[in-house]
Amino acid sequence: WLELNKGFDVLARALGRASASPSFGRRPWRWVIVSAGPYRSHIERSVSEAGIAAQTMFAGRVSEGDLHGWYEAASLFVHPTRYEGSSLVTLEAMAHRRPIVATNAGGLPDKVRPGVNGWLTEPEDTEALAAALEQALSDDARLKAMGEASRAIVEQGFSWSVIADRQ
């Protein structure tokens, strides 16, 4: 859901900064926002101000099947939230073997292990988020290994069988 607390405006600024770096800017990239909500126009304005409108796609609300297709198409899942609960979308992305760049908010540190399956930055820290994005996209082999680690973390700590055994 496109709300202010999700931090998409922060991500737009971070992508604008990261895309200006020589290492980031030489590879093609696209930011796909899969959701709808009341802050879309605010996020569109942030995207335009960051100079990344040509690389940004608003997919809107999609079917469950299409959502899983977007996870599969992604190289990286970014969750720049200002505050969060457990974050099911992050677990879904991890189940699809995606490395994660997220903020150190709510339940995200329970899922994202820096250097193992992703990067954590502080909420609202545009510079740190841009640096994490540059790092993430600088090594395809590392991204693949982190994606595999994401899947293992989900299976070992968040699968239904593991959760049921805890009860």
Side-chain angles (χ1 to χ4, degrees):
W1 193 241
L2 300 180
E3 296 176 322
L4 184 62
N5 70 295
K6 296 299 182 183
F8 292 120
D9 55 329
V10 178
L11 179 53
R13 290 190 299 275
L15 282 167
R17 289 181 187 192
S19 67
S21 84
S23 61
F24 192 94
R26 70 173 171 229
R27 71 183 291 160
W29 62 273
R30 177 165 305 278
W31 176 22
V32 179
I33 302 171
V34 181
S35 193
Y39 278 87
R40 179 173 171 157
S41 62
H42 176 80
I43 298 163
E44 287 173 335
R45 194 169 35 259
S46 297
V47 163
S48 179
E49 289 170 0
I52 59 169
Q55 292 89 6
T56 305
M57 176 184 169
F58 287 83
R61 189 172 180 183
V62 299
S63 70
E64 189 75 16
D66 286 346
L67 176 62
H68 290 286
W70 282 115
Y71 283 129
E72 286 298 314
S75 300
L76 180 68
F77 182 79
V78 184
H79 195 39
T81 190
R82 291 176 165 93
Y83 57 89
E84 192 67 32
S86 179
S87 186
L88 291 176
V89 295
T90 300
L91 285 174
E92 288 176 347
M94 291 169 62
H96 281 275
R97 292 179 169 82
R98 297 300 156 243
I100 309 295
V101 173
T103 51
N104 189 16
L108 289 166
D110 294 339
K111 297 162 189 64
V112 182
R113 300 181 185 148
V116 176
N117 73 317
W119 294 259
L120 285 174
T121 66
E122 291 305 312
E124 308 252 7
D125 190 339
T126 303
E127 292 294 326
L129 186 56
L133 292 168
E134 287 179 50
Q135 232 182 25
L137 296 176
S138 68
D139 185 347
D140 290 336
R142 185 174 185 199
L143 275 184
K144 183 169 176 42
M146 286 184 154
E148 293 299 326
S150 281
R151 177 63 186 222
I153 290 167
V154 168
E155 289 175 354
Q156 295 165 6
F158 298 95
S159 67
W160 285 117
S161 60
V162 170
I163 292 170
D165 286 345
R166 289 184 193 153
Q167 301 306 319

